[in-house]
């Protein structure tokens, strides 16, 4: 089946530093990947849609200069949280869609728990 | 954008009981998925179900696209079924608020 690998699973960083999160589709090509954040006991909020070879599409209210998304290949998208602050602490999850007609729909990474201290 | 509503928000069951979770959506969708989020945050894909009915062991799902709802059935619930169940619609992958299920031994 379709597998999405997300790293790191946990990261603690100091306020003001940047953190990069990687999302890889291991056994399929993903022209589109999605990035979500989830606060405790809440649902997943779509942050942005990452398109291979083009700029990401950000949801309203998401700062594109703070959450940099790069989708340089068909199997890798990265999310960089720049100048992180404690309020950026959250659970970040990526997902990728398989090929058209795939029975797997969207597959999610295992998530990254970011703590900014 | 499309609205996704899940009910009930919370559900407490005794082990062995059956349950039905519902997902309503406000507009036509190309597809719909059900997920189980385990205590570690991992989203487990349960069903990819644009319409009709699918079954996988004790779980089954039915989507009636023309009436804009989907149902997830859990039979003979087990403590390991505990967690949050989400539905998400494919057009732009919007998630409902989830149903938090607790199965007590």
């Amino acid at each position: 089946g379709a597998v999405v690998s997300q790293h790191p699973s946990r990261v603690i960083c100091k306020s003001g530093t940047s953190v990069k999160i990687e999302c890889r589709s291991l056994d399929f090509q993903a022209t589109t990947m999605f990035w979500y954040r989830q606060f405790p006991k809440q649902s997943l909020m779509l942050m942005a849609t990452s398109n291979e070879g083009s700029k990401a599409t950000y949801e309203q209210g998401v700062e594109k200069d703070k959450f940099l998304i790069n989708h340089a290949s068909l199997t890798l998208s990265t999310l960089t949280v720049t100048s992180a602050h404690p309020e950026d602490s959250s659970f970040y999850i990526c997902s990728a869609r398989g090929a058209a007609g795939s029975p797997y729909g969207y597959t999610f990474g295992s998530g990254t728990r970011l703590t900014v201290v | 954008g499309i609205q996704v509503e899940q009910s009930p928000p919370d559900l407490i069951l005794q082990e062995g009981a059956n349950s039905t979770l519902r997902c309503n959506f406000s507009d036509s969708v190309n597809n719909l998925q059900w997920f189980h989020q385990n205590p570690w945050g991992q989203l487990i894909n349960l069903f990819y179900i644009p319409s009709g009915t699918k079954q996988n062991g004790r779980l089954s799902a039915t989507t009636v696209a023309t009436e804009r709802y989907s149902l997830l059935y859990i039979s003979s619930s087990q403590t390991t079924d505990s967690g949050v169940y989400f539905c998400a619609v494919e057009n732009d992958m919007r998630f409902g608020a989830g149903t938090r299920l607790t199965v007590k031994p």
Side-chain angles (χ1 to χ4, degrees), chain A:
Chain A
V3 178
V4 172
S5 174
Q6 185 174 342
H7 292 280
S9 57
R10 286 182 182 273
V11 59
I12 300 173
C13 70
K14 291 186 177 180
S15 188
T17 61
S18 295
V19 173
K20 180 184 283 188
I21 302 169
E22 291 190 349
C23 181
R24 294 181 185 272
S25 56
L26 296 186
D27 49 2
F28 66 101
Q29 293 183 334
T31 55
T32 303
M33 291 186 176
F34 302 87
W35 288 96
Y36 298 81
R37 70 186 296 181
Q38 185 181 31
F39 291 108
K41 297 189 184 297
Q42 293 189 21
S43 186
L44 280 75
M45 299 292 293
L46 180 64
M47 297 175 65
T49 302
S50 168
N51 301 298
E52 187 267 336
S54 65
K55 292 183 179 180
T57 303
Y58 289 83
E59 295 298 303
Q60 192 173 5
V62 177
E63 299 176 59
K64 61 181 180 181
D65 294 330
K66 179 164 193 63
F67 299 100
L68 300 179
I69 291 173
N70 184 282
H71 194 156
S73 77
L74 287 171
T75 59
L76 174 64
S77 176
T78 60
L79 168 68
T80 301
V81 183
T82 63
S83 188
H85 289 96
E87 58 265 30
D88 298 323
S89 298
S90 188
F91 190 58
Y92 293 88
I93 311 175
C94 67
S95 76
R97 180 179 180 179
S102 164
Y104 303 113
Y106 292 81
T107 302
F108 283 76
S110 55
T112 298
R113 195 165 300 280
L114 171 63
T115 303
V116 184
V117 297

Side-chain angles (χ1 to χ4, degrees), chain B residues 23 44 47 63 75:
Chain B
C23 174
I44 309 300
F47 293 103
T63 296
S75 64

Side-chain angles (χ1 to χ4, degrees), chain B residues 2 8 32 34 44-45 54 60 67 75 79 85 87 94 96 100 102:
Chain B
I2 195 166
L32 183 145
W34 282 97
I44 309 300
N45 189 359
K54 290 185 178 180
S60 63
E67 297 186 23
S75 64
T79 56
Y85 290 81
C87 68
R94 304 290 168 172
R100 185 172 298 274
T102 303

Side-chain angles (χ1 to χ4, degrees), chain B residues 11-71:
Chain B
L11 186 58
I12 300 174
L13 299 175
Q14 206 64 37
E15 196 169 29
N18 303 328
S19 62
T20 301
L21 282 59
R22 187 178 180 101
C23 174
N24 292 334
F25 39 98
S26 61
D27 204 348
S28 300
V29 297
N30 293 328
N31 220 318
L32 183 145
Q33 283 185 249
W34 282 97
F35 298 92
H36 175 215
Q37 189 170 38
N38 66 23
W40 298 272
Q42 175 72 54
L43 280 162
I44 309 300
N45 189 359
L46 298 177
F47 293 103
Y48 178 66
I49 181 166
S51 63
T53 297
K54 290 185 178 180
Q55 181 157 7
N56 184 4
R58 296 182 295 105
L59 302 180
S60 63
T62 295
T63 296
V64 184
T66 54
E67 297 186 23
R68 301 179 185 171
Y69 74 88
S70 183
L71 302 175

